[in-house]
C-alpha cells in the first residue's frame, strides 16, 4: 500500500535528489554497457563491425525497455538492471587478467568501477524510494482513470 496519507498530494515529479540519482545510475549503466561491450569485443571475441553494432543495438534496446519499466515503477525491472550490471561485472573481471597493455587494463578497470558504482546506487534506499514513488504515482493515475471511467459509465445509463 501507499506510504502517503490519503490527503497528501503526490506531485508529478519525484523529489529532485531521487531523480538525480536515477539519472546518474542510468548514465553509469549506459557508460558501463558501452565500455563492457568494447572490452568483450576486444578481449574475448574479434567481431566484425556489423556484429558489434548489432550486439550494441540489442543491449541498448534491452536496457531502454527495462529502464522505462523502472520509470513506470517496476521493482522487478530495477532488480533486472541490478543483475544486468552484475553480469557485466562478472564478464569484465576476467578481462582484467587478459589485458596486454596498460591502457587496456586501465580502460577495463574504469569499466568495473563504473559498474560497481551503478550496482551500489541500484541497491540503495534512495533508488528504491524513487521506484516506490513512481509506482505510487502510476497507481494513483490508474485509480483516477478507473474513477473517471466509472463516473462516465454511470452518466451514460
Amino acid at each position: 500500500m501507499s506510504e502517503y496519507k490519503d490527503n497528501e498530494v503526490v506531485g508529478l515529479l519525484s523529489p529532485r535528489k531521487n531523480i538525480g540519482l536515477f539519472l546518474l545510475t542510468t548514465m553509469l549503466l549506459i557508460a558501463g554497457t558501452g565500455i563492457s561491450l568494447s572490452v568483450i569485443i576486444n578481449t574475448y571475441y574479434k567481431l566484425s563491425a556489423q556484429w558489434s553494432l548489432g550486439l550494441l543495438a540489442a543491449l541498448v534496446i534491452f536496457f531502454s525497455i527495462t529502464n522505462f519499466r523502472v520509470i513506470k515503477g517496476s521493482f522487478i525491472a530495477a532488480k533486472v538492471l541490478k543483475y544486468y550490471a552484475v553480469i557485466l561485472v562478472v564478464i569484465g573481471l576476467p578481462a582484467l587478467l587478459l589485458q596486454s597493455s596498460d591502457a587496456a587494463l586501465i580502460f577495463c578497470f574504469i569499466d568495473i568501477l563504473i559498474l560497481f558504482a551503478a550496482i551500489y546506487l541500484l541497491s540503495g534506499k534512495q533508488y528504491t524510494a524513487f521506484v516506490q514513488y513512481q509506482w505510487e504515482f502510476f497507481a494513483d493515475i490508474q485509480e483516477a482513470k478507473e474513477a473517471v471511467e466509472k463516473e462516465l459509465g454511470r452518466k451514460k445509463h
Side-chain angles (χ1 to χ4, degrees):
M1 282 293 181
S2 177
E3 288 183 25
Y4 298 98
K5 298 175 182 70
D6 287 336
N7 59 359
E8 185 175 340
V9 177
V10 177
L12 181 60
L13 295 175
S14 181
R16 285 186 184 178
K17 188 167 39 169
N18 292 348
I19 292 174
L21 179 75
F22 170 76
L23 293 175
L24 176 63
T25 305
T26 300
M27 294 309 294
L28 287 172
L29 285 171
I30 289 170
T33 298
I35 295 171
S36 291
L37 184 63
S38 176
V39 167
I40 290 167
I41 289 170
N42 292 324
T43 303
Y44 301 122
Y45 306 104
K46 301 297 181 198
L47 297 177
S48 67
Q50 292 87 359
W51 280 101
S52 300
L53 189 59
L55 185 58
L56 179 62
L59 284 175
V60 165
I61 290 169
F62 168 76
F63 174 76
S64 298
I65 290 170
T66 308
N67 207 39
F68 180 73
R69 296 303 306 161
V70 169
I71 292 172
K72 299 283 275 184
S74 173
F75 288 99
I76 294 171
K79 280 191 187 261
V80 167
L81 282 181
K82 184 177 172 184
Y83 292 130
Y84 170 73
V86 168
I87 289 169
L88 290 177
V89 167
V90 168
I91 291 171
L93 280 175
L96 281 171
L97 302 173
L98 298 173
Q99 299 305 321
S100 57
S101 70
D102 290 338
L105 183 65
I106 290 170
F107 191 68
C108 200
F109 186 70
I110 288 171
D111 178 42
I112 300 298
L113 287 178
I114 287 172
L115 290 169
F116 272 130
I119 292 167
Y120 175 76
L121 293 175
L122 285 166
S123 301
K125 290 181 183 178
Q126 286 182 328
Y127 196 84
T128 304
F130 171 78
V131 177
Q132 180 69 37
Y133 188 91
Q134 294 299 106
W135 184 85
E136 290 172 356
F137 174 73
F138 284 103
D140 287 347
I141 288 176
Q142 184 64 31
E143 184 180 314
K145 183 179 175 182
E146 289 171 359
V148 167
E149 288 174 355
K150 182 179 176 183
E151 196 63 35
L152 289 176
R154 209 182 289 169
K155 288 184 179 180
K156 287 183 179 180
H157 297 294

